[in-house]
Amino acid sequence: MADLKRILLFFRSSLFILLADWLDFKSKKKKRRGICSCKILWIRRFSGFFFAAMLMIILSPSLHSFPPAEAIKSSHLDSYLRLPSYQASHSSKDRFSFRKASGFRNADECGFTDRKITGVCDPSLVHVAITLDVVYLRGSMAAVHSILQHSLCPENIFFHFIVSDADLETLVRSTIPQLKFKVYYFDPEIVRNLISSSVRQALEQPLNYARNYLADLLEPCVRRVIYLDSDLVVVDDITKLWITNLGSRTIGAPEYCHANFTNYFTGGFWSDQRFSRTFKGRKPCYFNTGVMVIDLVKWRRVGYTKRIERWMQIQKRYRIYELGSLPPFLLVFAGRVAPIEHRWNQHGLGGDNVKGSCRELHPGPVSLLHWSGSGKPWLRLDSNRPCPLDALWAPYDLYGHPH
């Protein structure tokens, strides 16, 4: 019923947009050229609405034959898990809860069905690292859920959850009992004195920098890991991303070389040869650090964590960028990244870092939808002001009110 409501809400909001555009077209007397452009705009909106609706139907696990989820309440975590938007719109008697996810098992094609996985060091595992915190917990759980739903061998996926505050292990285990995972504590004090102010306060949170320390946090036997942000869903088998050939590179990510790379650093950075020469001999391109495949063996050997920290120290003194944890990665790795297909990071769906306006999908196939930017789908859905593509996130949402 909840999924049906979300679908109806999506159609209603989209139809309102279409109706508004049509009435605007009818009410204005324009020259022929203006009328044509208005028609084209209306047709583009309709085609975008139709495409999003069809994509939702194709990708939504709630429209597949999965058994209904069972509602469970959190206990001692209630005081931690009420999101700010939830507090503003609900009484204090309401409790933050997650529904129990459907069971999952490997397909026959996975092989070795009788062999028991021995632990985190088992060579057959696919390793995925995601941060968990009380603000983005709902997004993290949806990301995990989406990975399991689309994986051919979900029992072979091991999740490494990085936390800094609340004990969330009990809630994760009760929501997805079969999940293979381990929780690692990241001490915020490690980076607190290295963090500079950013264009958005959320980008200043210490846990955003935990990705810099995965090589230290995870067991030495973990040789490779997929790092994922908490505001995304995977709609393809993540094993395809796992087997990416990194060649001689340490990290792999979708690159966007058409983006204006100079915008990610200040004018002072580019005018000071001490800093800008770091890109000499490279062809740097922007890449989003929310989806990365990392060779931890090479990372540890070279000591990339120290190199990132060094740039953060320079930033504290000279103010060479404005965008939180991204620029240090660009300084160290841009131009040295193994390229991955763009389908693995359809990013920017959360709009920009200020307004969080609605965005459309980039052209091409989709394997991962990423709501990077200030607009998050769960907040927009709760406020009854969703963007059309937020309906593609909703089917993986395990959040639910107790009845």
Side-chain angles (χ1 to χ4, degrees), residues 43-115:
I43 293 170
R44 285 185 63 191
R45 284 192 180 274
F46 181 79
S47 63
F49 156 71
F50 181 76
F51 172 75
M54 293 304 297
L55 192 60
M56 177 184 67
I57 293 171
I58 294 170
L59 299 181
S60 172
S62 64
L63 301 180
H64 300 171
S65 56
F66 296 118
E70 174 189 349
I72 30 178
K73 301 178 182 179
S74 60
S75 54
H76 62 286
L77 296 176
D78 290 338
S79 60
Y80 290 104
L81 296 179
R82 296 190 196 99
L83 301 182
S85 65
Y86 184 73
Q87 286 179 320
S89 58
H90 296 271
S91 70
S92 60
K93 294 182 179 180
D94 287 327
R95 307 178 74 187
F96 195 95
S97 62
F98 284 94
R99 295 174 290 117
K100 187 175 181 181
S102 304
F104 56 86
R105 61 178 300 173
N106 285 354
D108 293 338
E109 297 92 317
C110 298
F112 306 103
T113 53
D114 296 329
R115 186 178 71 81

Side-chain angles (χ1 to χ4, degrees), residues 255-266 269-270 275-276 278-280 282-288 320-321 323 326-337:
E255 291 184 296
Y256 303 89
C257 296
H258 63 278
N260 188 346
F261 191 78
T262 60
N263 289 341
Y264 293 96
F265 302 94
T266 63
F269 169 87
W270 293 111
F275 307 141
S276 59
T278 190
F279 293 118
K280 186 178 180 179
R282 291 198 256 169
K283 294 181 178 179
C285 294
Y286 162 74
F287 65 94
N288 182 279
I320 58 175
Y321 56 78
L323 278 174
L326 168 64
F329 256 87
L330 297 179
L331 287 161
V332 174
F333 291 110
R336 299 167 178 163
V337 175

